[in-house]
Amino acid sequence: VLDFSDPFSTEVKPRILLMGLRRSGKSSIQKVVFHKMSPNETLFLESTNKICREDVSNSSFVNFQIWDFPGQIDFFDPTFDYEMIFRGTGALIFVIDSQDDYMEALARLHLTVTRAYKVNPDINFEIFIHKVDGLSDDHKIETQRDIHQRANDDLADAGLEKIHLSFYLTSIYDHSIFEAFSKVVQKLIPQLPTLENLLNIFISNSGIEKAFLFDVVSKIYIATDSTPVDMQTYELCCDMIDVVIDISCIYGLKDDGTGTPYDKESMAIIKLNNTTVLYLKEVTKFLALVCFVREESFERKGLIDYNFHCFRKAIQEVFEVRMKVVRSRKHQSHMQKNKRPTPNGTPRMPL
């Protein structure tokens, strides 16, 4: 657990809270996204009865703590220090079961958001309208519109119109939960504009239709270019990562079982039957670039590879700057702690 008194801790590793009523699907979301659990296996998960904290440190870009809260949490319980919890939070994800009566969930959402905003106005409030796989397309839109309207009306009635809520339709049975989590995580990445700009430069000079920068472990895309994201394109990219990692785990290791299934040699080309090529290249130990390329553009593969080399070098520079910032903040935090007096009033000796 982070030292909450450390002014640099929230910048080094932001915190994401998963909140909502019991059985709304919070733990299932966490297991499917970050533990590769099959959606069908989540049916056997027990209810969460205490706060579960987990470090997600797959790369320096996807690097945060995720806290899964039990649905019966009581904000008025004196043992629940909500100020301490909300103070270090980057995003609060509130999960609403779309197949249930959501009036109680909306009341809890309003209480949670108003409490959190008073403590930390910089929190990103993300609403997952979950389990939409059981609804028709029309019912999905109607449910989202109704929840959006009611939630914002409640805030307006309390004089809190300036609080912004983001809404997502999600299900663990398709890729919508990964896309929603991608959008949440992107808001916590300070380098996002730089990454998007690099991707825009890369695709415009390479004749590429669309490019995603993926975290290969979680299948969260931490950045994409400025062209709109098509759900089908995103699903194909996710499936490609699964194929590459699965095959590498079988055939990519050495005879003695050593090595890693994903390394600097990792690369894959999949030609689809609609004259489109999917092209995957390793960027860092945890990141992959997945591109959509027209077959005629892919004939200039040498140009694409050269531009990718430049792109990869730029990403590594961003990565190095990030690590320097983290180390600098940790050093400053350490120095500040050493300057604080000991309980008997004498100054601390530097270590």
Side-chain angles (χ1 to χ4, degrees):
V1 181
L2 294 174
D3 176 4
F4 299 107
S5 62
D6 176 5
F8 304 101
S9 62
T10 56
E11 296 174 43
V12 171
K13 188 172 290 189
R15 192 183 311 146
I16 295 179
L17 309 185
L18 266 176
M19 307 186 89
L21 297 184
R22 290 179 75 254
R23 311 305 299 172
S24 57
K26 304 181 294 298
S27 299
S28 300
I29 290 171
Q30 184 185 355
K31 294 294 184 185
V32 168
V33 175
F34 298 108
H35 294 274
K36 284 185 168 288
M37 181 179 280
S38 162
N40 292 321
E41 289 179 49
T42 62
L43 297 171
F44 306 104
L45 287 175
E46 295 181 7
S47 279
T48 304
N49 54 16
K50 62 180 181 179
I51 299 174
C52 298
R53 290 171 285 200
E54 180 183 2
D55 270 322
V56 177
S57 304
N58 299 326
S59 75
S60 67
F61 291 105
V62 181
N63 190 12
F64 51 84
Q65 284 191 330
I66 188 159
W67 290 31
D68 183 8
F69 281 76
Q72 65 274 16
I73 201 86
D74 182 7
F75 283 104
F76 299 101
D77 187 333
T79 62
F80 180 70
D81 189 353
Y82 68 88
E83 286 197 12
M84 176 270 288
I85 289 170
F86 291 143
R87 199 178 301 126
T89 295
L92 191 158
I93 298 174
F94 196 93
V95 183
I96 296 177
D97 185 347
S98 65
Q99 298 185 33
D100 202 1
D101 180 11
Y102 44 76
M103 290 304 143
E104 185 185 351
L106 284 169
R108 178 63 65 88
L109 168 67
H110 181 72
L111 174 64
T112 305
V113 168
T114 50
R115 282 284 173 101
Y117 184 78
K118 285 176 184 174
V119 175
N120 181 1
D122 296 325
I123 292 179
N124 295 308
F125 295 106
E126 319 287 349
I127 318 302
F128 284 10
I129 302 170
H130 197 47
K131 303 183 184 178
V132 295
D133 48 277
L135 307 180
S136 66
D137 288 344
D138 289 344
H139 196 179
K140 283 180 195 175
I141 296 167
E142 186 182 328
T143 301
Q144 183 176 15
R145 188 185 300 121
D146 188 40
I147 289 174
H148 184 282
Q149 185 72 44
R150 290 175 185 272
N152 282 307
D153 284 351
D154 287 344
L155 290 175
D157 292 343
L160 296 168
E161 300 95 332
K162 56 189 172 184
I163 297 179
H164 176 70
L165 307 178
S166 300
F167 295 85
Y168 310 86
L169 294 170
T170 61
S171 168
I172 57 172
Y173 290 96
D174 58 31
H175 291 84
S176 59
I177 191 63
F178 293 96
E179 188 182 21
F181 239 105
S182 298
K183 300 271 181 66
V184 172
V185 169
Q186 285 167 25
K187 294 178 184 178
L188 303 180
I189 300 173
Q191 303 90 349
L192 183 64
T194 306
L195 298 178
E196 289 179 344
N197 191 38
L198 287 171
L199 284 166
N200 283 332
I201 295 168
F202 172 67
I203 68 165
S204 63
N205 288 292
S206 307
I208 290 172
E209 301 280 312
K210 185 73 183 165
F212 294 92
L213 192 59
F214 271 95
D215 175 70
V216 292
V217 178
S218 64
K219 290 187 296 188
I220 286 174
Y221 70 93
I222 65 168
T224 185
D225 57 86
S226 56
T227 59
V229 175
D230 174 52
M231 193 64 179
Q232 190 177 13
T233 303
Y234 174 65
E235 288 176 1
L236 279 169
C237 293
C238 286
D239 292 343
M240 184 183 193
I241 290 173
D242 282 338
V243 169
V244 170
I245 298 299
D246 289 347
I247 291 177
S248 296
C249 285
I250 299 169
Y251 301 108
L253 301 178
K254 295 177 182 176
D255 293 338
D256 58 359
T258 59
T260 56
Y262 186 77
D263 56 29
K264 61 184 178 182
E265 302 298 326
S266 294
M267 185 269 288
I269 300 168
I270 297 178
K271 293 188 177 181
L272 306 178
N273 59 7
N274 62 351
T275 70
T276 303
V277 177
L278 280 172
Y279 190 33
L280 179 146
K281 292 273 281 182
E282 187 259 8
V283 178
T284 72
K285 186 179 177 183
F286 297 104
L287 300 180
L289 183 72
V290 185
C291 307
F292 251 67
V293 197
R294 291 287 168 202
E295 214 163 4
E296 58 269 22
S297 299
F298 196 69
E299 292 172 2
R300 297 174 296 174
K301 182 173 176 294
L303 172 67
I304 294 173
D305 286 345
Y306 174 77
N307 287 340
F308 170 78
H309 175 74
C310 299
F311 171 80
R312 185 183 190 182
K313 192 175 176 183
I315 288 288
Q316 286 169 345
E317 288 175 12
V318 174
F319 190 89
E320 285 166 9
V321 168
R322 170 68 173 158
M323 294 311 293
K324 285 177 183 175
V325 170
V326 169
R327 282 195 293 267
S328 172
R329 286 172 178 161
K330 284 183 177 176
H331 177 69
Q332 290 181 44
S333 170
H334 181 67
M335 294 297 289
Q336 282 192 350
K337 285 178 183 175
N338 283 338
K339 286 179 182 177
R340 292 179 197 151
T342 56
N344 63 7
T346 58
R348 294 180 189 270
M349 291 296 290
L351 299 175

